[in-house]
Amino acid sequence: MSKPPATASEADPTGLDTEIAMLFPEVDSDVARRLIGSAMHAFAERGYHATTTRHISEGAGLSPAALYVHFKSKEAALYAVSRSGHLGVLDAIRAAADEESTPPDRMRAVVRAFTTWHVRYHTACRVAQYEIAALTEEHYAEIADIRRDTEQFVRREIQAGVDSGDFTVPAVATAARAILSMGIDVARWYQPGRSTDPDLLATQYAELAASMLGVRPGR
Amino acid sequence: MSKPPATASEADPTGLDTEIAMLFPEVDSDVARRLIGSAMHAFAERGYHATTTRHISEGAGLSPAALYVHFKSKEAALYAVSRSGHLGVLDAIRAAADEESTPPDRMRAVVRAFTTWHVRYHTACRVAQYEIAALTEEHYAEIADIRRDTEQFVRREIQAGVDSGDFTVPAVATAARAILSMGIDVARWYQPGRSTDPDLLATQYAELAASMLGVRPGR
DNA sequence: GGAGGGTGACTAAGCGCTCACTTAGTAGAG
DNA sequence: CTCTACTAAGTGAGCGCTTAGTCACCCTCC
């Protein structure tokens, strides 16, 4: 009874355990989850290169060597965080789009989901967006593929709206860039507590994106 | 006549020397400029912590110790880059706004200038935006002040348009965030050559921002 | 008793920064 | 024009420290 595994379920006021469980469903071991959570927070706060392997293991309440029981290297931990973060958003916006039918509604849902994700998982997103330069070439290439998919998805959604006549926008690629930038940048500036309410922000961003695309009011 | 100061003007195909001269007008020594230019590029490419003092000095064609003749520390070089970058944009958007009078025209000019700056000086901006966590507390506080000024400036411009009836936007602060994000994020994704033409991008972004703010066509 | 999670002690490499020193150039005195 | 005194820029070597990663050795539980 020295270490009850009930820590996660009975009381999780910050939602931290749930957050990590959501982001890394494939990681089964509890210790591995603690390690990756610690790594994620350290990378987000200090940056990959300023984070030492000791920071990571200490954050998980383990000795320096413990990291290497679960990860091949420090970079492997970064890759895990980065991959999950990127795959997560892509899933989220695809699911959101599937819930709606008309281009304006789909677009609003996508922006709302994209923003919500970057607020909810801003720690993971900060790592995913701003630390990928530290990945190995192979890992970077994999991440780049997911990013391309995400961008292409948004571009196609906009194009659909242009084709249907719902959107009026001169350059589809540029509009996609702008909308993605709005959401991604949330991970840079967002501070829990000090910022606008997440749901409100997501709705406002969705509306801003809609009028940016020239959606007529009421559509 | 041993060292003519004509180096910059006669042949500078990449615009690199001009870039550094524009960003660091207060740095008079040629060697110091080479050092800060090298530091800027290294920080942007690999990040502050992954950049060694040897990278910086080697990039300037000097020995490891030479950096410390011109800078108190590695962090001092980061501070110099960061400060110049931040002050530069603020100046640029203020100047741009001064050239116009009506809120829509002023806003378009501001976004155009903001975008152009982030494209032209994307290397400096990348450092200024994504490496400031490595600054000392005092230096960070100084930079934070400049950022606040920039954000406030944009917010006030939007408010002016709302007051005049030119803009229709529910939340001024959120709109400011969105517009700033579009521009800042350029520093993250922009790659010379592989991206849209800078001037075209700036104009498109200005137009997207305008319609985001609900400017009626023709205004 | 064996397999795997976990550890303390360790290492080779690399880090920011310093130091004693050389070099090039300048200025004033004679 | 030369000699001397002085300075600022730059260097090679290397110090003290930290880093990512290793390894022989423990536990604990099946």
Side-chain angles (χ1 to χ4, degrees), chain A residues 44-66:
Chain A
E45 238 165 78
R46 340 158 73 105
Y48 175 80
H49 289 288
T51 299
T52 70
T53 54
R54 271 145 182 92
H55 287 144
I56 301 172
S57 42
E58 270 172 36
L62 296 165
S63 77

Side-chain angles (χ1 to χ4, degrees), chain A residues 155-180:
Chain A
R155 257 207 293 253
R156 276 208 257 264
E157 287 295 321
I158 297 175
Q159 188 61 55
V162 170
D163 293 343
S164 71
D166 286 307
F167 299 162
T168 320
V169 75
V172 172
T174 305
R177 271 263 138 92
I179 287 174
L180 286 166

Side-chain angles (χ1 to χ4, degrees), chain A residues 34-213:
Chain A
R34 258 158 50 212
L35 275 167
I36 209 168
S38 169
M40 180 181 83
H41 277 91
F43 291 160
E45 238 165 78
R46 340 158 73 105
Y48 175 80
H49 289 288
T51 299
T52 70
T53 54
R54 271 145 182 92
H55 287 144
I56 301 172
S57 42
E58 270 172 36
L62 296 165
S63 77
L67 175 65
Y68 294 90
V69 174
H70 297 273
F71 292 94
K72 222 179 114 284
S73 65
K74 180 184 164 191
E75 189 269 348
L78 173 66
Y79 172 63
V81 175
S82 200
R83 207 183 96 97
S84 291
H86 275 98
L87 286 176
V89 229
L90 184 50
D91 271 8
I93 60 176
R94 275 184 177 146
D98 280 350
E99 302 261 303
E100 305 289 341
S101 51
T102 70
D105 284 343
R106 287 173 65 92
M107 200 62 222
R108 272 189 271 253
V110 165
V111 174
R112 216 180 300 118
F114 196 68
T115 308
T116 303
W117 179 274
H118 279 84
V119 170
R120 178 76 191 83
Y121 303 112
H122 67 274
T123 314
C125 291
R126 206 168 299 176
V127 177
Q129 293 296 338
Y130 304 120
E131 304 297 331
I132 44 170
L135 291 169
T136 63
E137 242 176 89
E138 291 81 19
H139 286 164
Y140 183 86
E142 258 188 74
I143 300 291
D145 278 346
I146 310 174
R147 295 168 141 258
R148 228 180 324 251
D149 287 349
T150 307
E151 187 158 348
Q152 201 164 65
F153 180 81
V154 172
R155 257 207 293 253
R156 276 208 257 264
E157 287 295 321
I158 297 175
Q159 188 61 55
V162 170
D163 293 343
S164 71
D166 286 307
F167 299 162
T168 320
V169 75
V172 172
T174 305
R177 271 263 138 92
I179 287 174
L180 286 166
S181 284
M182 282 167 53
I184 289 169
D185 202 50
V186 167
R188 187 183 55 82
W189 60 260
Y190 187 81
Q191 289 172 284
R194 302 232 295 162
S195 308
T196 330
D197 170 70
D199 287 339
L200 180 61
L201 183 76
T203 311
Q204 287 175 340
Y205 265 29
E207 223 39 64
L208 288 173
S211 62
M212 192 162 94
L213 295 170

Side-chain angles (χ1 to χ4, degrees), chain B residues 145-162:
Chain B
D145 278 346
I146 310 173
R147 295 168 142 257
R148 226 179 327 246
D149 287 350
T150 307
E151 188 157 347
Q152 201 164 64
F153 180 81
V154 173
R155 256 205 294 251
R156 277 208 257 264
E157 287 295 322
I158 297 175
Q159 188 61 55
V162 171

Side-chain angles (χ1 to χ4, degrees), chain B residues 106-158:
Chain B
R106 285 173 67 91
M107 199 63 221
R108 272 189 271 254
V110 165
V111 174
R112 216 180 300 119
F114 196 69
T115 309
T116 303
W117 179 275
H118 280 84
V119 170
R120 179 74 190 83
Y121 303 112
H122 66 274
T123 314
C125 290
R126 205 168 300 176
V127 177
Q129 294 295 339
Y130 304 119
E131 304 297 329
I132 45 170
L135 290 170
T136 63
E137 244 177 86
E138 291 81 21
H139 287 165
Y140 182 86
E142 257 188 75
I143 300 291
D145 278 346
I146 310 173
R147 295 168 142 257
R148 226 179 327 246
D149 287 350
T150 307
E151 188 157 347
Q152 201 164 64
F153 180 81
V154 173
R155 256 205 294 251
R156 277 208 257 264
E157 287 295 322
I158 297 175

